[in-house]
């Protein structure tokens, strides 16, 4: 029986892995609150914060230890680490909604990682969690296995863990985080002369390493504060206190968060809206108030947006509303009685609403678009005493009329209100005008005094029983916020507003009242202006609109197919639904001057009560790049607080990052529901302000209004929304408290799915819902609207859809035809989402639509979206799979039995998980396969081979394995990245290699060198000619040999490494050629001569470019390597050296491998690694070409080739002369930081090596034969340096630069470059803004071969860059004029003085590549 590296038998290891699989179960995904969007693919810019554990908390640690031993006397004593780990786990639980979490910890006295899966609940205590941690730690220690084996066994969709906490008090560990880890916490012991005892704990401190692409410094500070606060809270409360309500908010956080007992302007009633409107009308009677759009004379609805305009002045509307008010009063309407408006989007709606309010009535609106049954429900709930029907709304349905006559006792019914140039009328043409008797009162105010608590509105919100709940609104809120809004958002009499909200939706009040309060204009579009794609933007531009109120769905309608810019638009207020970054981007692409304000509010808060402002593109085009996909609710408006309250104990206010329920505290809340019991549940007295005396001043300032005032009421509305405080006190919404969706035990966030789906480049609008399939199983279904355009051409099939659809069809038919038409697009979307979401969150079914149905309020009408039979969605053409093998047919039929909503036939290349399969069904599938074929199919088969073809091929192989059988009939083509596909055909062309000549190790050698005119090449040439080298033949691009030699001379002299004696002695020769050409462009005789003369080939030449794709670099970087290998096999065998790059290791898999090797005591990725993890996932074309070249060389090594591959990273200047390459990214970054005056906080390590050390290793590699035939050499800088050390040297040497958070630096850099286009980083701006290479967490490297190569020749084994070396380089860069010198006398150190040497910078190369 074989054993593993840790001494376990294969059987023991497998048993441990099985136990881990059960232990981890449905692996939870820790969704920590972040400040910035999570980058894809993963990137890391590391930063850290340290926090000493105060001496006072040492006593706390001891107290908790003693208390635990009292509660659990049989358990071993916890260490301070265990107690801090408990606090950390509880804090993470308070941040996230998932009751399970996985933390990577370290074994006691070891750096070996352990996984703890913890299961927490709010009712558990601190000590329950502490005991669980100690038990799980023991279990994990007993079943310790390497993480790589665990990953291979479980096959998680994402990282096994996102947080780590290591005990580094006894074991030294690299205090940094990793690429897939958000937070890594270290407990360290501060130096102390006092020995630790059981009653004495040495000074401790915490170091938190984090990814600054995700978190701000402020959030990390808050986290560390809350961690220690939680410890104190646990020690000062009863042992039985539930962990869900341990206070974790600190004093520092409280200064930035709302004080729930603070005074608000309760008595700040600015007046009733009808009074303010009438005052505006009196002051400016002929000012335009409402502009009603209509078709111009001779225009049809096909002729673009409406061009006709009817304007109405403040006087006209004031007088018309006076008539309506007197009609109501004279017909007996009493204060606070409801008047229903059967409305249309029109000027008449403004007249009706103002008339009702002037009469002291309560206005409510019914939308003619609602079905009659719904209209009668609204009437039954509101029981109005008057009904005003707007003429353009049409007539009542017979059933509604019957309901009114049978059930309502109306004081007044006005059948057809219309505003004409001569005034308002109430009846249809030809009938006696019902309003005629009241025209005499057009200029007479109604005289009804209104106060802040006078009822004004009756709006409706959905009820849990299906019956809408009526919400009574007050006059206070209709005006209170407008003065502040005008000042904050520059709204005034010149503003032009729109009426776009649903007419029965409470935001319509904001549409109307804001301009009427300010004395501004209100523009009203036609229904076709709103509903026709692309036309709304044209209408806005024609109307020169400056302010608009939108729902996100209406915003999507505005941007859909829009072709006109809206330069006049200055403010767009969004409310009513979740606003995404993509919604904002689309609108700002149409309106470069628009500031977007996301607002949070409900019908119960009566107004939108919070705001988050996004500056216009022209003001700050970088703002949205740092925002997450969902725009926050923001901060409360004036006199409003958004309070996030603990869900376990409402007396505990939440801390920064903690999830809680949002309560809105304001003097402007609605009065409540019509149902008193519902009001008592949701409108609650502020318990935080109990006992606080507040002075009522309204009776003094507005005595008449105070008669309609209930006094100061410190109330809060319980929203039912979940939210978190951001570090600056603003709030982000994260879901509903009562709407957590779970499918197969996994918590699903529909908003997260929709956010990612909306970011697909070909999706315009989308919504995801949970539907039930034929077996009543929950299924995720996404409905989406594709973006029209050329990009769709390759992803749609009109033939499958039966041609284009011109006629009106029902939604179900449209959806089924759409699925057939957009089958390839759906597959593309599904693949896209699989890269963004865990598999259980990827929708199983997708339905394309021409447009999403909207309800009259402008929101997506979710109930109108049907769920057709999915069996209808399969194409009939090729679905039958008549050519299936028997194995394929059997597996196909098993699929049909297992899948939740199977079509009649499944294609051989369909993915099991894309068809609705999941891990539970995958296990059932394997057992069905085992039973059907009597083979021991592995449980991982479905994950490895998710197609019928792949599974059938594997089953056939298993069935024939015992017989030594041949190929399986099924085929499962594995598609790798394009660069890897190049490897196999090129490898077939490689020659065989004989042994090196016997005198190779002793004679003077002739070296064939490529890339000699480059920066590194010049130093390699110098080093070679100082050794056992007779001659160096250099391949150079030039017109002739003389010019080629001059290029070599210019390159060497420019870097201070040229000796003309080499030429005189015939030791340097330039041959003219080109890397990309066959045989390097050499003639046959020249090729043969070099093949006969050369003893070693050092292939250093390449195109180094960070942007070019693989195809563009292939000839110079890959084919040239094949050419060089052929040269090594021609005439006689030659030693081969290849200068590669550590970029061949730049993907997550290598980083993970390196991290695990380091945790086991190694240095990092071994030089013997086969590079297979780089077969996919390398991003840049340069690294891809070097990977293919290296793999070809490794294949050549198997055929007898002798030599080395060298993998350097950043090559800096000469360690003695400091001559540097000024084109290098590192020095461009340094100079760019100086120009900006800012340096970023980047704690990532960076592999820097002086050029003379890299040249030394390269030269030695041509002379020394490796014992293994062919070896890899990792060129690693010693000591390790971090970006903070490198850039911090600017401050050390006196430069006036300030360190800032990385994201802030990146934003400022983008703004600076776009404004000035004069920054050293300008040519690489796209590179930096993609967070590369600074955010690429490099794999740590084992460099024992490199040290052996140098040490074997008696040379210096390692070299690196420290602060002194950086100072030397900077001195040279100043000397050659690349950058300015620092101000004198300001630094801790002064730059060294360089004497003589090179005083001109010439960059990477003198000309060209070779």
């Amino acid at each position: 029986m074989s054993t593993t590296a840790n001494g376990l038998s294969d059987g023991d290891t497998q048993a441990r892995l099985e136990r881990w699989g059960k232990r981890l179960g449905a692996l939870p995904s820790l969704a920590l609150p972040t400040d910035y969007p999570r980058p894809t693919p993963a990137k890391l810019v590391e930063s850290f914060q340290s926090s000493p554990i105060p001496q006072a908390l040492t006593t706390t640690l001891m107290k908790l230890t003693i208390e635990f031993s009292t509660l659990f006397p049989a358990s071993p004593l916890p260490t301070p680490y265990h107690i801090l780990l408990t606090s950390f786990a509880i804090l993470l639980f308070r941040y996230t909604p998932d009751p399970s979490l996985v933390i990577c910890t370290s074994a006691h006295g070891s750096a070996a990682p352990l996984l703890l899966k913890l299961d927490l609940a709010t009712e558990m205590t601190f000590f329950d969690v502490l005991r669980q941690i100690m038990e799980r730690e023991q279990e994990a220690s007993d079943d310790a296995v390497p993480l790589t084996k665990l990953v291979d066994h479980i096959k998680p969709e994402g990282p096994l863990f996102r947080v780590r906490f290591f005990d580094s008090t006894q074991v030294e560990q690299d205090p940094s985080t990793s690429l897939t880890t958000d937070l890594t916490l270290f407990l360290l012991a501060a130096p102390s002369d006092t020995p630790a005892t059981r009653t004495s704990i040495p000074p401790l401190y915490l170091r938190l390493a984090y990814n600054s692409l995700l978190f701000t410094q402020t959030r990390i500070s808050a986290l560390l504060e809350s961690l220690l606060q939680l410890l104190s809270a646990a020690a000062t409360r009863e042992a039985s206190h539930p962990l869900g309500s341990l206070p974790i908010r600190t004093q520092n956080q409280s200064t930035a968060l709302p004080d729930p007992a603070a005074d608000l302007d309760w008595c700040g009633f600015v007046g009733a809206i009808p009074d303010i409107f009438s005052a505006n009308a009196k002051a400016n009677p002929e000012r335009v108030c409402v502009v009603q759009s209509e078709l111009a004379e001779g225009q049809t609805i096909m002729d673009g947006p409406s061009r006709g305009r009817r304007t109405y002045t403040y006087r006209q509307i004031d007088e018309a509303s006076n008539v309506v008010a007197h009609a109501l009063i004279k017909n007996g309407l009493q204060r606070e009685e409801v008047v229903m408006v059967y409305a249309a989007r029109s000027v008449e709606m403004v007249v009706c609403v103002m008339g009702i309010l002037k009469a002291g009535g309560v206005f409510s609106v019914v939308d003619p678009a609602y079905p009659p049954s719904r209209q009668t429900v609204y009437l039954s709930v509101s029981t109005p005493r008057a009904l005003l029907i707007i003429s353009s709304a049409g007539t009542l349905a017979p059933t509604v009329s019957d309901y009114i006559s049978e059930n309502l006792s109306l004081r007044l019914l006005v059948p057809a209100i219309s505003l004409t140039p001569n005034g308002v009328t109430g009846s249809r043409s030809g009938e006696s005008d019902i309003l005629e008797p009241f025209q005499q009162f057009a200029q007479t105010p109604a005289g009804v005094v209104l106060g802040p608590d006078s009822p004004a509105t009756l709006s409706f919100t959905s009820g849990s029983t299906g019956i809408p709940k009526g919400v009574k609104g007050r006059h206070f809120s209709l005006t209170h916020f407008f003065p502040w809004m005008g000042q904050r958002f520059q709204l005034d009499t010149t503003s032009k507003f729109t009426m776009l909200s649903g007419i029965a939706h409470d935001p319509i009040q904001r549409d109307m009242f804001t301009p009427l309060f300010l004395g501004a204009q209100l523009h009203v579009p036609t229904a076709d202006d709103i509903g026709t794609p692309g036309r709304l933007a044209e209408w806005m531009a024609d109307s020169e609109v400056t302010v608009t109120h939108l729902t996100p769905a209406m915003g999507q309608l505005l941007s859909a197919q829009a072709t006109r810019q809206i330069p006049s638009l200055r403010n767009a207020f969004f409310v009513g639904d979740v606003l995404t970054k993509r919604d904002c981007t689309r609108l700002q692409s149409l309106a470069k001057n628009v500031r977007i304000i996301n607002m949070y509010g409900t019908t119960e808060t009566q107004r939108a009560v919070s705001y988050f402002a996004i500056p216009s593109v022209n003001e700050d085009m970088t703002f949205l790049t740092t925002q997450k996909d969902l725009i926050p609710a923001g901060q409360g408006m004036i006199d409003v607080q958004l309070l996030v309250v603990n869900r376990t104990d409402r007396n505990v206010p939440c801390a920064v990052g903690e999830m809680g329920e949002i309560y809105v505290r304001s003097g402007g809340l609605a009065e409540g529901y019509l149902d008193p019991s519902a009001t008592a549940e949701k409108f609650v007295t502020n318990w935080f302000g109990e006992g606080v005396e507040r002075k009522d001043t309204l009776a003094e300032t507005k005595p008449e209004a105070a008669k309609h005032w209930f006094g100061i009421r410190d109330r809060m509305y319980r929203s039912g929304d979940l939210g978190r405080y951001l570090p600056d006190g603003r709030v982000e919404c994260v879901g509903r408290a009562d709407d957590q969706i779970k499918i197969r035990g996994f918590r699903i966030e529909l908003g997260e799915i929709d956010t990612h789906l909306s970011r697909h480049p070909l999706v315009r609008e989308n919504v995801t819902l949970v539907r039930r399939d034929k077996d009543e199983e929950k299924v995720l279904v996404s409905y989406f609207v594709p973006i029209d355009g050329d990009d769709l051409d390759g992803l749609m099939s009109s033939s499958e859809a039966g041609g284009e659809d011109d006629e009106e069809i029902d939604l179900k038919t449209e959806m089924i035809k759409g699925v057939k038409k957009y089958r390839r697009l759906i597959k593309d979307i599904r693949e896209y989402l699989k890269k963004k979401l865990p598999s259980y969150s990827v929708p199983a079914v997708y339905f394309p639509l021409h447009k999403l149905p909207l309800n009259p309020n402008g929101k997506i009408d979710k109930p109108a979206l049907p769920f057709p039979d999915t069996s209808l969605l399969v194409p009939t053409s090729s679905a039958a799979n008549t050519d299936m093998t028997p194995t394929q047919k059997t597996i196909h039929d098993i699929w049909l039995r297992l899948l939740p909503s199977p079509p009649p036939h499944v294609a051989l290349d369909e993915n099991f998980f894309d068809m609705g399969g999941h891990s539970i069904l995958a296990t059932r599938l394997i057992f069905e396969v085992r039973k059907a074929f009597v083979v021991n199919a592995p449980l991982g088969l479905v994950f490895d081979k998710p197609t019928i073809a792949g599974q059938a091929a594997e089953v056939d192989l298993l069935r024939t394995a015992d017989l030594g059988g041949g190929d399986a009939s099924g085929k499962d083509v594995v598609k790798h990245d394009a660069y890897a596909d190049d490897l196999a055909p090129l490898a077939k062309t490689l020659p065989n290699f004989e042994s090196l000549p016997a005198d190779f190790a002793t004679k003077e050698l002739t070296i064939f060198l490529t890339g000699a005119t480059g920066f590194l090449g010049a130093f390699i040439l110098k080093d070679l000619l100082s050794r056992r080298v007779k001659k160096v033949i250099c391949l150079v691009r030039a017109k002739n040999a003389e010019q080629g030699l001059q290029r070599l001379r210019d390159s060497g002299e420019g870097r201070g490494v040229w000796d003309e004696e080499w030429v005189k002695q015939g030791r340097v020769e330039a041959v003219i050629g080109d890397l990309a050409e066959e045989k390097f462009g050499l003639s046959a005789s020249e090729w043969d001569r070099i093949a006969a003369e050369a003893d070693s080939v050092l292939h250093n030449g390449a195109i180094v470019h960070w942007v070019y794709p693989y195809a563009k670099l292939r000839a110079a970087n890959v084919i040239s390597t094949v050419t060089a290998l052929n040269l090594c096999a021609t005439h006689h065998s030659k030693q081969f050296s290849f200068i590669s790059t550590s970029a061949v290791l730049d993907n997550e898999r290598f980083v993970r491998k390196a991290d695990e090797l380091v945790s086991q005591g190694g240095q990092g990725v071994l030089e013997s690694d086969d590079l297979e993890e780089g077969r996919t996932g390398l991003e840049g074309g340069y690294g891809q070409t070097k990977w293919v070249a290296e793999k070809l060389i490794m294949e050549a090594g198997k055929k007898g080739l002798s030599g080395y591959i060298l993998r350097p990273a950043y090559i800096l200047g000469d360690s003695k002369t400091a001559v540097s390459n000024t084109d290098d990214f590192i020095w461009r970054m340094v100079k760019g930081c100086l120009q900006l005056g800012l340096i970023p906080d980047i704690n990532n390590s960076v592999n820097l090596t002086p050029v003379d050390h890299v040249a030394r290793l390269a030269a030695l590699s041509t002379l020394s034969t490796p014992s293994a035939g062919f070896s890899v050499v990792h060129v690693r800088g010693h000591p390790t340096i971090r970006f903070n050390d490198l850039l911090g040297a600017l401050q050390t040497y006196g430069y006036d630069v300030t360190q800032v958070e990385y994201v802030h630096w990146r934003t400022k850099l983008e703004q600076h470059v776009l404004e000035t286009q004069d920054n050293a980083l300008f040519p690489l701006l796209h590179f930096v803004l993609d967070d590369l290479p600074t955010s690429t967490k490099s794999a740590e490297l084992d460099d024992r071969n490199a040290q052996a190569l140098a040490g074997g020749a008696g040379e210096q084994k390692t070299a690196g860059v420290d602060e002194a070396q950086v100072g030397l380089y900077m001195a040279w860069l100043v000397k050659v004029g690349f950058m300015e010198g620092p101000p004198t006398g300001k630094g801790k150190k002064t730059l060294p003085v360089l004497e003589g040497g090179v005083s001109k910078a010439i960059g990477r190369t003198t000309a060209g590549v070779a």
Side-chain angles (χ1 to χ4, degrees), residues 693-924:
E693 293 292 330
R694 309 193 190 280
K695 184 178 180 182
D696 188 340
T697 60
L698 189 65
E700 301 170 10
T701 58
K702 291 185 172 62
E704 289 301 310
K707 295 176 182 177
H708 307 280
W709 163 240
F710 299 147
I712 294 175
R713 292 180 291 168
D714 189 354
R715 297 187 304 155
M716 300 192 293
Y717 168 66
R718 184 180 183 182
S719 70
D721 289 323
L722 297 178
R724 294 187 181 103
Y725 285 123
L726 299 174
D728 61 4
R730 291 187 284 193
V731 172
E732 62 178 356
C733 296
V734 293
R736 288 286 298 170
D738 53 0
D739 192 27
Q740 299 240 335
I741 295 167
K742 281 201 170 186
I743 295 181
R744 300 189 305 278
F746 293 102
R747 187 174 52 82
I748 304 293
E749 292 287 353
L750 295 180
E752 182 184 16
I753 299 171
D754 279 328
T755 296
H756 286 296
L757 181 53
S758 72
R759 295 171 70 184
H760 188 283
L762 296 178
V763 173
R764 192 179 81 208
E765 302 168 50
N766 57 275
V767 64
T768 301
L769 305 175
V770 177
R771 301 298 202 201
R772 292 191 179 270
D773 64 11
K774 60 181 176 60
D775 299 318
E776 287 301 305
E777 290 285 336
K778 292 178 181 177
V779 178
L780 287 172
V781 183
S782 286
Y783 303 83
F784 69 96
V785 179
I787 288 178
D788 294 330
D790 297 338
D791 292 339
L792 269 181
D793 290 348
L795 295 171
M796 59 188 289
S797 170
S798 294
S799 60
E800 278 197 62
E804 294 297 325
D805 306 316
D806 293 327
E807 72 281 1
E808 288 290 325
I809 55 176
D810 64 80
L811 266 181
K812 283 191 178 182
T813 306
E814 180 189 348
M815 287 158 62
I816 292 169
K817 298 185 79 158
V819 169
K820 295 175 181 178
K821 179 177 180 180
Y822 293 108
R823 184 173 300 279
R824 280 172 284 179
L825 173 59
I826 290 170
K827 191 169 186 177
D828 185 77
I829 290 172
R830 184 182 282 127
E831 292 299 317
Y832 171 83
L833 289 179
K834 283 162 67 176
K835 297 174 184 176
K836 308 289 184 183
L837 297 164
S839 63
Y840 56 79
S841 287
V842 176
V845 182
Y846 302 79
F847 289 118
L849 293 168
H850 175 63
K851 62 180 179 180
L852 293 177
L854 301 183
N855 62 27
N857 293 337
K859 296 185 179 182
I860 295 172
D861 191 358
K862 295 176 183 178
L865 292 167
F867 184 38
D869 183 353
T870 51
S871 66
L872 302 175
L873 307 180
V874 179
T876 56
S877 54
S878 59
N881 295 322
T882 54
D883 56 347
M884 285 192 292
T885 67
T887 305
Q888 292 170 344
K889 181 68 170 66
T890 302
I891 294 176
H892 174 271
D893 293 345
I894 293 173
W895 278 37
L896 294 187
R897 293 199 300 273
L898 293 180
L899 288 172
S901 298
H905 305 283
V906 180
L908 296 180
D909 60 349
E910 282 283 6
N911 187 298
F912 179 76
F913 300 101
D914 292 348
M915 301 290 290
H918 46 79
S919 56
I920 298 172
L921 286 182
T923 304
R924 288 177 57 191

Side-chain angles (χ1 to χ4, degrees), residues 32-104:
L32 286 173
T34 65
D35 295 294
Y36 304 119
R38 188 176 295 278
T40 305
K43 299 170 186 175
L44 170 66
V45 173
E46 182 180 302
S47 190
F48 71 90
Q49 285 190 39
S50 295
S51 174
I53 296 178
Q55 190 61 37
L57 277 182
T58 302
T59 308
T60 299
L61 291 171
M62 294 299 299
K63 181 178 185 296
L64 292 169
T65 303
I66 295 168
E67 196 160 358
F68 178 82
S69 65
T70 305
L71 292 169
F72 305 106
S75 296
L77 279 178
T79 65
Y81 170 70
H82 287 126
I83 294 172
L84 285 160
L85 176 55
T86 301
S87 185
F88 187 49
I90 293 173
L91 187 63
L92 295 175
F93 174 68
R94 296 278 286 273
Y95 285 160
T96 63
D98 206 311
S100 297
L101 59 96
V102 175
I103 302 178
C104 180

